[in-house]
């Protein structure tokens, strides 16, 4: 899906606001382990979105590091679990970009895997133009119903397209 630049910027700003409100509204301190992982599909690469998200959070006064399984040393650190947990212990937000470097794993699975590896308390994901979890695509179905609460197993059984099945299973087994 390719979004116009204006929509991309608005969605990114909404994502930054959502992450900031999670910290403020739930009483989380920045020292809590949090993975902020944005899954957006644009003409530009996933990794460039991670860098833009990092920049936006830093402009809001947050300490952020971007890590990648792919070597891009000029703009991000290579992912090493111990290094990621070290950043988190220093009250930094860590953004994982560009998946896990395996073409057979989705970015959903990468997000779930990284959050498990670092012992994250929260896995934040943003999907294209959707403000929550629905029983069907609210963009194509105006009668879609939004869930207030949802168990992992229900999302799997209902075959909701919120995350791939592997990612949902990983989250369920490690919650």
């Amino acid at each position: 899906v390719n979004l116009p630049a204006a929509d991309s910027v608005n969605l990114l700003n909404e994502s930054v606001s959502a992450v900031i409100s999670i910290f403020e509204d739930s009483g989380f301190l920045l020292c809590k382990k949090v993975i902020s992982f944005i899954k957006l599909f644009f003409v530009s690469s996933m990794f460039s979105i991670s860098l833009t998200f990092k920049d936006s959070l830093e402009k809001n006064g947050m300490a952020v590091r971007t890590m990648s399984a792919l070597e891009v040393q000029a703009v991000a650190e290579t992912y090493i679990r111990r290094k990621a947990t070290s950043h988190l212990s220093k009250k930094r937000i860590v953004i994982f970009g560009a998946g896990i470097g395996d073409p057979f794993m989705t970015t959903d699975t990468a997000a779930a895997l990284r959050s498990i590896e670092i012992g994250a308390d929260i896995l934040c994901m943003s999907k294209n133009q959707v403000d929550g979890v629905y029983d069907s695509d609210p963009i194509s179905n105006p009668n879609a119903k939004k869930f207030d609460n949802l168990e992992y197993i229900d999302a799997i059984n209902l075959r909701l397209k919120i995350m791939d099945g592997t990612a949902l299973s990983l989250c369920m087994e490690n919650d």
Side-chain angles (χ1 to χ4, degrees), residues 108-132:
D108 291 347
T109 300
L113 180 62
R114 292 292 186 243
S115 66
I116 292 163
E117 288 175 341
I118 64 166
D121 295 315
I122 300 173
L123 169 58
C124 301
M125 295 186 75
S126 175
K127 301 287 182 156
N128 293 331
Q129 302 174 345
V130 179
D131 66 348

Side-chain angles (χ1 to χ4, degrees), residues 3 19 34 56 58 60 89 98-99 104 109 128 140 145 148 161:
L3 298 176
V19 170
V34 176
S56 296
E58 286 177 335
N60 282 280
S89 70
F104 300 105
T109 300
N128 293 331
S140 61
K145 294 183 181 164
D148 291 325
K161 308 246 187 234

Side-chain angles (χ1 to χ4, degrees), residues 41-111:
F41 297 94
F42 294 96
V43 175
S44 60
S45 70
M46 167 74 84
F47 190 70
S48 67
I49 299 303
S50 299
L51 295 175
T52 305
F53 189 55
K54 174 187 182 238
D55 184 57
S56 296
L57 288 171
E58 286 177 335
K59 286 179 182 175
N60 282 280
M62 298 183 167
V64 184
R65 295 295 183 269
T66 302
M67 302 185 91
S68 172
L70 307 175
E71 282 197 39
V72 281
Q73 293 176 357
V75 292
E77 298 175 40
T78 302
Y79 174 76
I80 300 169
R81 187 190 61 79
R82 287 177 51 190
K83 198 171 204 179
T85 56
S86 173
H87 286 312
L88 292 167
S89 70
K90 294 175 183 172
K91 303 178 184 178
R92 298 175 182 145
I93 295 172
V94 178
I95 299 172
F96 301 106
I100 59 172
D102 185 331
F104 300 105
M105 294 293 168
T106 67
T107 52
D108 291 347
T109 300

Side-chain angles (χ1 to χ4, degrees), residues 17-36:
S17 296
V19 170
I20 292 169
S21 69
I22 287 171
F23 287 116
E24 293 171 350
D25 294 345
S26 64
F28 276 96
L29 299 175
L30 288 179
C31 63
K32 282 285 191 177
K33 297 176 185 172
V34 176
I35 174 175
S36 300

